[in-house]
Amino acid sequence: MKRKAADSGLLLVALVWGTTFVIVQNAVAFLPPFAFNSIRFFLAALILGVWTVFSRHQKKGHKRNERIWHKGISLGFWLYLGYGFQTVGLVYTTSSKTAFITGLSVVVVPLMAAFLLKQRLTVSSAASVIMAAAGLYLLTGGSSLAMNKGDFFVLLCAFSFGMHIVMTAKFASGAPVLWLTLIQLAAVSVLSMITSLFLENLRAVFIWEVMLQKEVVIALVVTAIFATALAFLAQTYFQGYTTPARVALIFALEPVFGALTAYLWANETLGAKGITGCILILAGMVAAEFPFAKIVKKRKTKEWVNS
């Protein structure tokens, strides 16, 4: 029962994340990308900060782990790059394409883990990379020259999220969850604000006419509360009742929800070639976590016993 509840909760997280692509795209038409991320993650960190204050267990965990700040800021840096590249990319490309290209992070994780953590590259990983690369080729128009500026930024976003996942696997063991998450979100907010100060016109940002735009208010509320603070807490909690492979497969549905939302809310269409590319990327994401080796080994064992 707990596993079913966990799968349902993670599916809801994927749904929330999938719907935010269109919402954020509407908001950055009024609010510059890094200013938006700064406010979004500040609000999310504020929410988790209040939660942490009332969590005695997390306070004790924080005192026992002296390196929590180093770990949190390191993870926050990759999260900052991921959301920064994604939000900037949404200015120049469609939300449906952004959803699927972002999903490539599931595919690149095994490659990064093999290189950085010396983990063995499996048949599943190799197959997923081939399918995802073919899918990206078709999704961006069937030509390397067709990848526009927005697609390229989102591709960098996928690699940044991939690094965040790999580093989380390295740092998160034994760390107090709430503190680690809180420090990450605060780091993203600070780094985004610094970037905004250098690259964006803040005088044109923090004025009531901009901040009270319906699109901006809805995006900040939905992303800060539901897609950031609550989503990260839910993911951390529910992952304790299911396997990493099932989590990855459930999250593979995020770009599907993103494309569906883009079609219903923004009337975005991808065309036959783009849809084929999306299917290949999705297949690659599933293949990345599919236990080919275990199935082959199980069959060989069964054949040996029967013989």
Side-chain angles (χ1 to χ4, degrees):
M1 184 63 70
K2 286 185 177 180
R3 186 167 183 172
K4 289 183 178 180
D7 289 346
S8 300
L10 290 169
L11 185 63
L12 183 59
V13 171
L15 174 62
V16 170
W17 281 343
T19 59
T20 58
F21 292 103
V22 173
I23 296 173
V24 172
Q25 189 172 46
N26 291 336
V28 294
F30 300 94
L31 198 63
F34 287 102
F36 174 84
N37 281 342
S38 176
I39 300 170
R40 166 186 177 173
F41 281 89
F42 171 76
L43 293 174
L46 186 63
I47 293 168
L48 284 190
V50 173
W51 186 299
T52 305
V53 167
F54 292 99
S55 176
R56 295 180 182 177
H57 173 72
Q58 294 295 336
K59 286 181 184 179
K60 294 177 181 178
H62 168 59
K63 292 177 181 178
R64 290 196 302 266
N65 198 325
E66 295 178 357
R67 291 180 58 82
I68 187 66
W69 284 94
H70 166 73
K71 293 178 179 180
I73 293 172
S74 298
L75 293 177
F77 171 75
W78 291 109
L79 206 57
Y80 149 76
L81 288 181
Y83 277 104
F85 285 133
Q86 184 188 78
T87 310
V88 171
L90 279 166
V91 176
Y92 303 105
T93 191
T94 65
S95 53
S96 53
K97 288 173 71 175
T98 299
F100 277 95
I101 297 174
T102 299
L104 286 170
S105 59
V106 175
V107 177
V108 301
V109 164
L111 296 176
M112 292 178 170
F115 181 73
L116 297 173
L117 304 182
K118 308 302 179 184
Q119 294 182 0
R120 185 179 178 184
L121 189 63
T122 64
V123 176
S124 302
S125 301
S128 70
V129 170
I130 294 171
M131 285 187 284
L136 180 62
Y137 175 79
L138 292 173
L139 182 60
T140 54
S143 169
S144 58
L145 297 177
M147 177 177 283
N148 64 34
K149 182 164 56 175
D151 296 336
F152 179 71
F153 280 131
V154 181
L155 187 60
L156 292 178
C157 145
F159 278 94
S160 300
F161 280 147
M163 278 297 299
H164 178 261
I165 294 171
V166 172
M167 291 297 101
T168 298
K170 182 178 180 180
F171 291 151
S173 179
V177 173
L178 267 177
W179 273 104
L180 188 62
T181 306
L182 172 60
I183 294 169
Q184 286 184 71
L185 301 186
V188 176
S189 178
V190 172
L191 289 171
S192 297
M193 175 56 71
I194 293 172
T195 306
S196 183
L197 285 171
F198 283 98
L199 299 181
E200 298 168 348
N201 182 10
L202 289 186
R203 290 184 179 180
V205 171
F206 295 103
I207 55 178
W208 286 114
E209 288 78 3
V210 173
M211 296 300 297
L212 294 180
Q213 286 287 337
K214 181 179 68 174
E215 291 83 357
V216 173
V217 173
I218 291 175
L220 286 174
V221 170
V222 172
T223 57
I225 299 176
F226 299 103
T228 307
L230 294 182
F232 275 103
L233 278 179
Q235 179 187 0
T236 304
Y237 175 78
F238 287 128
Q239 277 195 220
Y241 298 99
T242 188
T243 63
R246 288 179 70 87
V247 174
L249 291 174
I250 291 171
F251 283 172
L253 292 173
E254 180 189 340
V256 177
F257 292 135
L260 182 60
T261 305
Y263 174 75
L264 294 175
W265 287 7
N267 199 29
E268 289 183 10
T269 55
L270 292 167
K273 189 181 290 186
I275 291 173
T276 303
C278 292
I279 292 172
L280 281 171
I281 291 175
L282 189 60
M285 293 164 66
V286 174
E289 299 297 336
F290 194 80
F292 288 108
K294 289 184 179 180
I295 292 174
V296 172
K297 185 177 180 180
K298 188 175 181 180
R299 284 187 176 181
K300 287 183 178 180
T301 304
K302 188 175 181 180
E303 290 174 0
W304 181 81
V305 171
N306 291 336
S307 62

